[in-house]
Amino acid sequence: MLYIECPWCGFRDDEEFHYGGEAHIQRPTDPNELNDEEFSEYLYLKSNPKGVILERWLHSRGCRRWFNVLRNTVTNEITEIYPIDTLPNSKEGTEYYGQNWRRKSSVEKTIKPREYK
Amino acid sequence: MKKPASNQGMQGLRSEKEKYSIFSLARNSLTYHENWSQAWRSPEPKSEYDTIIIGAGGHGLATAYYLASQHGMRNIAVVDKGWLGGGNTGRNTTIIRSNYMWDESAGIYEHSLKLWEKLSQELNFNTMFSQRGVLTLAHTEHELKEMNRRVEAIRLNGIDSEVLNPNQIKKLVPIIDINPRLRYPVMGGFIQRRGGTARHDAVAWGYARAADSLGVDIIQNCEATGFIIEKGTVKGIQTAKGPIRAKKVGCVVSGHAGVLANLAGFRLPIDSRPLQALVSEPIKPILDTVIMSNSVHMYVSQSDKGEMVFGAGVDSYNSYAQRGSLNIIEGMLAAAVELFPVFSRLRMLRSWGGVVDTCPDASPIISKTPIDNLYFNCGWGTGGFKATPGSGHVFADLIAKDEPNLISAPFSLNRFISGYLIDEHGAAGVAH
Ligand SMILES: Cc1cc2nc3c(=O)[nH]c(=O)nc-3n(C[C@H](O)[C@H](O)[C@H](O)COP(=O)(O)OP(=O)(O)OC[C@H]3O[C@@H](n4cnc5c(N)ncnc54)[C@H](O)[C@@H]3O)c2cc1C
Ligand SMILES: [Zn+2]
């Protein structure tokens, strides 16, 4: 059982939450600019990492707010929780974000860079 | 009769292994079963093979076996990071059926079921395949209607399938509670009588032994850690025991498919999730049919040892931890006890988890990849045990010919670009 600290409600069992999958996948600004292969990348391809993952959770049976989590998919240890419209702060989170394959993909290049706070 | 040289045909090789039979059992009992010959060798890897299969689960071992037996290949290795059959093959609840809705799925799962029906004889290994019937329950009016529609689609593909009413179900499964006042009453169900279960380990062991007789090297404790790729073509793999070169590489690692794809430089539409199962203490025979329920998410059968084997649902989050959350088990057991009040006093002996490779359309990937001569077979998620023989059979064909056959073609990676998904969330509504 994961024990997740909602930034607003504190620690709760994972049963209270809804998993939002991989974080920081941006919808292409203009999907018509992409060919089928590129759109498929946005729609279907997953990082599915063994180790650090940046992911979204929704406290659906609580305050119903979204937030981001840095978790290790081997140990299930959660080491950072950060607001939904921000990037991770920790060293491993920043590194993982920067080195993720999506940063280099042609799809992300078509996206107007998002203004993170 | 002259014995053929060891690389000519399987009959000659097969004869090197002791044939399992009632006579060999009797003979070995005289020496307290201490003189059984080894079932497979544990060789060190050679520096090069024609084909390497990564993953010695049922699917990988079946692939190697069919490459050798159907395509005459001999220089094959199967590498595994752990012990053979220690992945999902050895962790699953062994439900076998072919009652999927779409034609493409009917093709592969029925192909598999037909192979199961002859497998013990073919491998000379008792897989304990038992066609005890698989009954799927409906608990709402809507589910029942949808089930009727699905049953017709399945029958059009020539696959046995019939709808039962609650009284017929009670007759078949006397311990089930069909009281209409249940929170999720049993309103009907459909059964595939040719479906059933098999012994999971025996499937891995049977394929391993048969493949080994045909000269396949099975190398355990040898993790694949990278690929040797030259000009877009795979030339071998890096392993814990050093580099091994190969003309072709087939990757069949279930939950770890994404990890291996990353190492080869491409991505898959797969999320790896925990899936759990548990068994009770053994009791007298009480249930001789496999029961599944999509809406309350429970499936149960009784093993030959007498344990009740329960399967739970898949957790919602990605994880490679091989364990899931307790609430999933609690929910499943609550449903099981409501349907079978007699289970309320059963004690559970063990629970465990596997890492399953879930695909967006709940259908597998049997495909070429962006790297030439590198093939992936994955995405079976919560329900690939039933497909073990068929999956190995068509995957061997793909590797040998570098072309998919009619059965495997719809399951290529390309469907995620063309949009031709094979949505089996209905048939695969529960993990099974
Ligand atoms: C709890 C549970 C219940 C299930 N119930 C059913 C059911 O009732 N019916 C059904 O049809 N299916 C069921 N399934 C699904 C089924 O078990 C799988 O789809 C199927 O067994 C997959 O077989 P496989 O041979 O591809 O994978 P596995 O048996 O998992 O084999 C993959 C192998 O690859 C190895 N490997 C991984 N990474 C590497 C690497 N880097 N290098 C070398 N080797 C590597 C692993 O060690 C493993 O042995 C269930 C699964 C689980 C977990
Ligand atoms: Zn909250």
Side-chain angles (χ1 to χ4, degrees):
Chain A
M1 177 95 59
L2 302 185
Y3 202 38
I4 303 171
E5 187 179 11
C6 169
W8 293 277
C9 315
F11 280 101
R12 303 295 169 92
D13 290 348
D14 70 47
E15 215 178 350
E16 287 192 15
F17 298 87
H18 177 89
Y19 188 54
E22 194 181 331
H24 311 297
I25 305 176
Q26 287 187 48
R27 193 183 162 82
T29 325
D30 180 4
N32 291 327
E33 272 178 26
L34 306 182
N35 62 32
D36 287 353
E37 194 165 340
E38 289 167 329
F39 197 67
S40 160
E41 175 189 309
Y42 158 72
L43 204 53
Y44 292 120
L45 298 193
K46 307 290 172 87
S47 296
N48 195 18
K50 185 174 182 176
V52 170
I53 190 171
L54 302 177
E55 61 191 11
R56 301 168 304 175
W57 286 87
L58 168 66
H59 194 188
S60 47
R61 295 184 192 171
C63 62
R64 297 203 263 160
R65 297 227 243 170
W66 285 96
F67 55 96
N68 285 324
V69 167
L70 188 164
R71 185 170 56 94
N72 184 309
T73 59
V74 179
T75 60
N76 281 336
E77 193 186 0
I78 293 172
T79 45
E80 189 180 350
I81 293 190
Y82 56 101
I84 197 72
D85 52 355
T86 64
L87 289 174
N89 258 326
S90 63
K91 184 165 164 282
E92 52 176 352
T94 313
E95 248 170 50
Y96 177 83
Y97 177 83
Q99 285 165 13
N100 188 277
W101 62 283
R102 290 189 196 277
R103 306 292 93 75
K104 283 160 253 157
S105 89
S106 59
V107 177
E108 248 191 41
K109 292 209 185 83
T110 70
I111 299 171
K112 195 161 114 293
R114 174 147 178 203
E115 303 272 319
Y116 279 107
K117 285 178 205 147
Chain B
M1 206 169 80
K2 216 172 126 228
K3 203 175 151 203
S6 60
N7 60 353
Q8 287 172 3
M10 58 194 264
Q11 290 311 326
L13 277 161
R14 181 60 66 72
S15 65
E16 286 170 14
K17 284 232 154 82
E18 180 174 11
K19 190 167 162 26
Y20 292 154
S21 68
I22 182 96
F23 304 108
S24 67
L25 188 62
R27 202 165 49 242
N28 278 286
S29 68
L30 297 176
T31 51
Y32 303 100
H33 298 289
E34 283 171 0
N35 293 323
W36 287 100
S37 56
Q38 67 170 10
W40 52 80
R41 299 159 295 128
S42 293
E44 283 303 305
K46 294 190 246 171
S47 58
E48 183 163 6
Y49 290 92
D50 290 340
T51 301
I52 295 176
I53 303 297
I54 307 174
H59 289 225
L61 292 164
T63 306
Y65 168 73
Y66 291 117
L67 276 172
S69 68
Q70 307 282 306
H71 302 279
M73 282 197 189
R74 284 297 177 268
N75 195 21
I76 304 169
V78 184
V79 300
D80 199 288
K81 71 180 167 73
W83 66 95
L84 70 84
N88 293 341
T89 299
R91 291 162 190 272
N92 81 98
T93 50
T94 77
I95 300 174
I96 295 169
R97 59 191 180 87
S98 64
N99 50 2
Y100 283 65
M101 188 168 98
W102 299 110
D103 296 352
E104 294 81 1
S105 320
I108 182 114
Y109 291 108
E110 180 60 15
H111 177 53
S112 244
L113 187 51
K114 292 220 168 80
L115 290 171
W116 275 113
E117 286 170 337
K118 300 203 190 86
L119 198 61
S120 293
Q121 282 75 12
E122 175 166 0
L123 300 179
N124 180 226
F125 204 103
N126 187 0
T127 62
M128 296 164 83
F129 179 48
S130 151
Q131 292 178 294
R132 59 185 65 184
V134 175
L135 172 66
T136 308
L137 303 174
H139 301 278
T140 65
E141 195 68 42
H142 173 81
E143 208 181 359
L144 193 59
K145 283 190 180 139
E146 196 271 339
M147 194 172 267
N148 276 288
R149 180 245 184 272
R150 191 138 44 96
V151 162
E152 295 308 328
I154 293 166
R155 287 170 60 156
L156 282 175
N157 278 317
I159 295 171
D160 72 301
S161 186
E162 68 196 86
V163 176
L164 302 183
N165 66 34
N167 289 327
Q168 290 168 308
I169 291 175
K170 183 74 183 168
K171 202 157 165 242
L172 187 73
V173 189
I175 59 171
I176 201 167
D177 188 356
I178 56 165
N179 187 336
R181 291 175 54 209
L182 289 188
R183 170 73 180 84
Y184 295 103
V186 175
M187 301 189 70
F190 81 115
I191 186 165
Q192 180 175 26
R193 296 192 194 270
R194 285 165 62 240
T197 57
R199 171 146 191 234
H200 47 7
D201 294 329
V203 177
W205 296 340
Y207 273 119
R209 180 170 177 268
D212 179 272
S213 336
L214 297 175
V216 173
D217 283 355
I218 301 167
I219 302 157
Q220 306 180 65
N221 297 315
C222 182
E223 178 168 0
T225 52
F227 293 92
I228 304 169
I229 297 169
E230 292 164 12
K231 297 203 193 84
T233 305
V234 76
K235 298 285 180 186
I237 60 171
Q238 303 288 353
T239 76
K241 300 190 178 200
I244 314 177
R245 296 191 67 91
K247 300 191 182 75
K248 296 180 175 193
V249 177
C251 189
V252 206
V253 294
S254 68
H256 280 76
V259 176
L260 273 288
N262 269 343
L263 290 173
F266 61 94
R267 255 37 67 172
L268 293 171
I270 285 182
D271 277 316
S272 298
R273 303 262 160 95
L275 180 65
Q276 305 177 80
L278 57 162
V279 294
S280 73
E281 58 191 335
I283 51 172
K284 290 257 169 66
I286 189 173
L287 180 67
D288 62 1
T289 311
V290 180
I291 312 289
M292 309 181 21
S293 161
N294 290 4
S295 31
V296 298
H297 212 299
M298 184 253 10
Y299 46 108
V300 61
S301 66
Q302 187 167 21
S303 76
D304 292 345
K305 279 190 280 183
E307 305 152 323
M308 307 308 303
V309 182
F310 293 96
V314 64
D315 275 284
S316 67
Y317 52 87
N318 290 32
S319 178
Y320 290 83
Q322 287 205 140
R323 59 170 188 265
S325 295
L326 186 67
N327 56 300
I328 304 275
I329 291 184
E330 283 178 327
M332 186 277 296
L333 284 177
V337 169
E338 193 181 48
L339 283 170
F340 303 97
V342 66
F343 288 168
S344 64
R345 278 148 60 205
L346 269 183
R347 278 167 300 195
M348 294 300 148
L349 279 192
R350 302 187 298 279
S351 74
W352 62 89
V355 185
V356 295
D357 40 343
T358 57
C359 232
D361 57 356
S363 284
I365 293 166
I366 308 169
S367 185
K368 296 185 174 195
T369 67
I371 312 291
D372 286 342
N373 295 349
L374 175 61
Y375 311 87
F376 265 62
N377 182 347
C378 55
W380 294 95
T382 60
F385 178 73
K386 64 177 74 67
T388 305
S391 155
H393 194 262
V394 300
F395 194 47
D397 209 56
L398 170 66
I399 294 175
K401 303 193 179 131
D402 193 39
E403 266 313 310
N405 63 23
L406 282 175
I407 296 180
S408 64
F411 298 100
S412 88
L413 269 171
N414 206 40
R415 75 178 187 269
F416 297 98
I417 296 169
S418 70
Y420 198 107
L421 299 194
I422 305 160
D423 186 352
E424 284 292 0
H425 283 286
V430 302
H432 44 88

